[in-house]
């Protein structure tokens, strides 16, 4: 077993380094060498929050266990059984408190990684009182409703002309961003959340049909007369959408009428379908506003 390194790197950085090694076009021997060098150079600094405190036993005695999930929600990453001798030391720890601890990796002959926690006492784990839900960091560049309106107008013009090449280029640009929209929840039941966007997520091409060969008016336009024909791209303003909420702490705060910020990530492969009108995207609640 390798010595525990003094240096520790965040788990996100560790995962990125491991992924880079696995993607490299090298032999198994070289991959194992690189992984072992990584293991010997740094431990892993893990962060999570207490999702639940449940009854447990240790050495035949009743105690508690801390069930830990990621900071931003998701599958549990640990379950720490508290030795009875340490219950008093962590008596003030509560649900959703943040925890930080170190993990040491090891590598076998085939390059398989395994991990062990390297603290000696549970009370030695760094604990921070619950600060409330924390928005997940966004890896991509972001854009708001105003920038989105400019982008979707460019995409709509290309789609209107059936210019697949230009439309695909515009779509690729939009799919590389995470769009941030205000929204309101309209349904909150049994972990299911639906809502409406509070900013325009669509673009219309409006044509006055009584004129020969008219140039379309692009933008968000209220159609008042039947002599106008409309093509629409984006999200139906009258529709409600399924919102992903991965953080149970955040979900507990949400109810019908809640104002939230949602992330909109367009399907990178959705350009051809989007040219016909409706967009494919994942909408997720990032943070609670009020």
């Amino acid at each position: 077993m390798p010595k525990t390194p003094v240096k520790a790197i965040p788990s996100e950085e560790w995962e990125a380094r491991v992924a880079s090694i696995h993607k490299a076009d090298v032999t198994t021997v070289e991959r194992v060498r690189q992984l072992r060098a990584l293991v010997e150079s740094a431990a892993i600094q893990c962060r999570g929050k207490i999702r639940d405190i449940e009854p447990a036993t240790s050495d035949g005695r009743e105690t508690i266990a801390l069930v830990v999930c990621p900071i931003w929600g998701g599958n549990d990453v640990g379950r720490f059984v508290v030795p009875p001798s340490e219950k008093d030391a962590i008596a003030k720890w509560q649900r959703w408190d943040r925890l930080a601890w170190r993990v040491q990796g090891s590598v076998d002959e085939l390059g398989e990684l395994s991990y062990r926690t390297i603290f000696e006492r549970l009370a030695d784990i760094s604990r921070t009182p619950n600060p409330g839900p924390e928005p997940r960091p966004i890896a991509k560049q972001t854009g708001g409703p105003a920038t989105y309106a400019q982008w979707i107008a460019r995409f709509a013009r290309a789609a209107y002309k059936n210019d697949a090449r230009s439309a695909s280029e515009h779509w690729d640009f939009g799919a590389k961003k995470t769009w941030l929209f205000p929204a309101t929840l309209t349904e909150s039941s049994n972990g299911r959340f639906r809502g409406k966007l509070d900013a325009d997520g669509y673009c219309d091409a409006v044509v006055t049909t009584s004129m020969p060969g008219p140039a379309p008016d692009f933008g968000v336009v209220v159609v008042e007369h039947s002599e106008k024909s409309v093509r629409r791209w984006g999200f139906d303003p009258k529709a409600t959408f399924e919102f992903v909420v991965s953080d149970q702490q955040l979900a507990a705060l949400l109810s019908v009428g809640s104002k939230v910020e949602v992330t909109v990530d367009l399907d990178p492969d959705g350009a051809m379908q989007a040219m016909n009108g409706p967009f494919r995207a994942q909408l997720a609640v990032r943070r609670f506003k009020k």
Side-chain angles (χ1 to χ4, degrees):
M1 183 176 297
K3 295 181 180 179
T4 302
V6 174
K7 177 184 175 183
I9 61 176
S11 57
E12 296 84 2
E13 180 180 343
W14 173 272
E15 290 169 2
R17 291 192 187 184
V18 170
S20 177
I21 292 172
H22 280 294
K23 287 180 181 178
D25 184 15
V26 296
T27 65
T28 299
V29 172
E30 176 59 18
R31 182 173 293 110
V32 170
R33 188 196 68 77
Q34 293 182 17
L35 288 171
R36 285 178 173 166
L38 177 60
V39 162
E40 292 171 1
S41 68
I44 309 150
Q45 185 71 27
C46 298
R47 294 178 67 231
K49 58 186 177 183
I50 301 173
R51 182 184 63 78
D52 197 10
I53 301 175
E54 59 186 24
T57 58
S58 177
D59 296 329
R61 300 167 61 187
E62 292 186 356
T63 184
I64 57 175
L66 309 176
V67 181
V68 181
C69 69
I71 295 293
W72 307 293
N75 296 329
D76 294 338
V77 294
R79 183 178 184 271
F80 301 139
V81 177
V82 181
S85 60
E86 293 190 53
K87 286 183 65 175
D88 290 343
I90 65 164
K92 295 183 178 181
W93 292 19
Q94 299 181 23
R95 193 182 187 204
W96 305 129
D97 284 353
R98 282 14 177 200
L99 303 180
W101 66 97
R102 288 188 174 189
V103 170
Q104 173 64 48
S106 60
V107 187
D108 66 15
E109 292 77 6
L110 298 177
E112 293 294 324
L113 283 160
S114 58
Y115 301 95
R116 65 180 180 88
T117 54
I118 55 178
F119 55 82
E120 294 183 2
R121 299 174 62 250
L122 196 59
D124 292 335
I125 294 178
S126 175
R127 168 249 179 187
T128 304
N130 171 26
E134 299 176 59
R136 181 188 295 272
I138 298 175
K140 298 188 291 187
Q141 291 185 339
T142 60
T147 307
Y148 177 90
Q150 296 171 1
W151 167 78
I152 196 175
R154 293 193 296 270
F155 176 82
R157 284 181 171 86
Y160 183 85
K161 298 176 182 177
N162 290 319
D163 184 347
R165 179 177 178 181
S166 293
S168 294
E169 290 175 352
H170 289 309
W171 185 263
D172 289 345
F173 176 86
K176 289 177 181 177
K177 284 183 176 289
T178 291
W179 301 99
L180 303 176
F181 272 82
T184 301
L185 290 188
T186 58
E187 181 181 338
S188 172
S189 176
N190 298 321
R192 184 175 185 230
F193 300 92
R194 296 186 66 86
K196 296 176 67 70
L197 299 180
D198 293 337
D200 296 317
Y202 65 98
C203 180
D204 288 343
V206 181
V207 180
T208 303
T209 56
S210 60
M211 296 176 60
D217 184 6
F218 287 93
V220 178
V221 182
V222 178
V223 180
E224 299 177 346
H225 304 290
S226 59
E227 301 85 45
K228 293 182 177 180
S229 64
V230 182
R231 285 188 64 188
R232 172 169 290 163
W233 294 269
F235 303 103
D236 186 343
K238 296 181 181 179
T240 59
F241 301 96
E242 192 86 23
F243 292 158
V244 175
V245 182
S246 58
D247 184 354
Q248 290 181 313
Q249 184 182 12
L250 174 61
L253 298 176
L254 301 178
S255 59
V256 173
S258 291
K259 298 293 184 180
V260 297
E261 179 183 71
V262 299
T263 58
V264 178
D265 288 286
L266 303 174
D267 179 357
D269 299 319
M272 292 300 101
Q273 176 179 319
M275 285 185 66
N276 296 322
F279 284 3
R280 287 206 310 260
Q282 182 182 73
L283 287 75
V285 176
R286 181 169 184 260
R287 63 187 179 97
F288 174 69
K289 297 177 72 174
K290 66 177 180 177

